[in-house]
Amino acid sequence: MGEWLKKIIEKIRTLNHSINSYQKDSVIQSLPSVAYVNRAKKLYDQEKYLEAKLILDEAMELPQKDARVLKYQGMIAEKFNNYEQAVEFYQDSADLNPEDKTIWQKLGFALININKYVEAEKSFENADKVAHSNTDTYTGWGMALMKQKRYEEARVKFVEAAKVNRYNFSALFLAAVMDIRLNELDKAETRLAFLANISPNESNTYEYAHLKFIKKDYDNALFYAKKSLEYNSNMLPCYILIANIYTINWDVENTLKYFQTAEEKELISAPLYLEWAIALHKFDRFNEATAKLLKALELKPDDKEIQSNLALNYFMTGNTEESKRLAENTPDMFTSKLTNALIAYQNNDIDTALSKLRQLREEKNDFALIDYFMAKCYEQQDNSNKVKDSYNSALDKNPIFFKAYMDFAKYLFSQNDYADAQRKLRKALKLDENNVEILNLLFYSCYKLVKDNVCEYNVKEAIGFAEKAENLGNFIYPEEKSELTELLKNIQEK
């Protein structure tokens, strides 16, 4: 169970000032266990849970069972995070005193903590029969339904809980979460905007940021996600959300910064490393992504999404055998389907590769790698128009796709289209200013274009690319440079 949900459960438990006084709590004042319960309650209130338990253990030895002894035993078991034992105590207490709504509530929340959601639902239903229209009962009931993915029913309960107690902000928050799950985003925004202003905390503010992200309002999503970190600097979902926003904006530096900060804070989890690797994929940094995916796999070895992304990663880094094995293990995952399409391309089965890629593009139209490999397939089919369309589409979706710029430029060279090739190479150079391969290709494209448009500026620019490549130690067109140097000399003499 997520930490945010545990915190909400804890808040709900304290909404109605939970443990009544000894006089009100006692149903049968004459029971000998009364003195034990009274002493244990005092120690419990002082947070001396172990001492309280020892007294309650003595009370358990008495011949007559007392529902209150069992209730406090359950409460202490919860303090030690022993929810299985707490459930047993609460159930026994409820059997002895089925008219105590508080016991049914506590049993319900404990059952949620051990993932017994159907049983929890029944427990809250029993609490409602004992005392109708209780805000805590409705909230817990909604949680049990939510965990069963019965979102519409859960939302009804959360709304009822908020109606009974307008200060039950946890119920209002969970109603907004259900709105999002049901894709009723305007309703969610109304609730979350209210909470972000009236009862700001890390959960409310994060969920508001998440809603803004879903609605593609990235500036406000970033603002509220960072605000959430001000309330709780260890809020892992915020770091992932912020990093994803920066990824969308192609801000490599800030993307990596937020993932690294989460790791430095030891907020280690499989989702952290998986999202980190996916971002690295978008930045065409597959070698770095391998380490992140392997860490994610260590933490969650049976996760199909991790395995599927690792399959794609292995293909892109040349480990075809492992790529094929992992893709076969996760055939229904999107990235595994993509990997199988790329393996077909590698095996020169171009028709199969193209068919698979077209289907995947309909499923997910923002994946630049699909268009890139479609361009590679169309190159094999010598379909020039579709090659260009596919490369351009890939670069529209990923404007920092360095490999796509380079391969597109080389293809345009093969078509003697040096002007368009030069435009692609200039954009690639902005991504890597000291890349010798780009500088050589830029020089050669300038060299070819100068023949059609001889002017001093163009010749000087071409020579400039050549000299920078020479300084970096690998210039491959010395004869062409000499030719341009002589041409520049003639221009200047004239």
Side-chain angles (χ1 to χ4, degrees), residues 24 39 44 57 80 86 119 165 169 182 225 240 244 255 258 265 294 309 331 341 388 409 414 448 456 458 471 475 490:
K24 290 180 181 177
R39 287 163 57 203
Y44 181 92
D57 286 345
F80 293 115
E119 294 89 337
N165 180 359
F169 296 135
L182 294 164
I240 294 175
N244 285 338
T255 297
Y258 276 87
K265 285 182 169 288
L294 290 175
N309 276 278
K388 292 177 182 178
S414 72
K448 299 296 285 186
E456 184 174 353
N458 291 342
N471 291 335
F475 180 60
N490 292 336

Side-chain angles (χ1 to χ4, degrees), residues 285-288 290 310-320:
R285 295 166 72 158
F286 289 93
N287 286 318
E288 295 172 56
T290 300
L310 192 56
L312 176 62
N313 196 77
Y314 277 141
F315 178 87
M316 295 300 293
T317 53
N319 191 343
T320 308

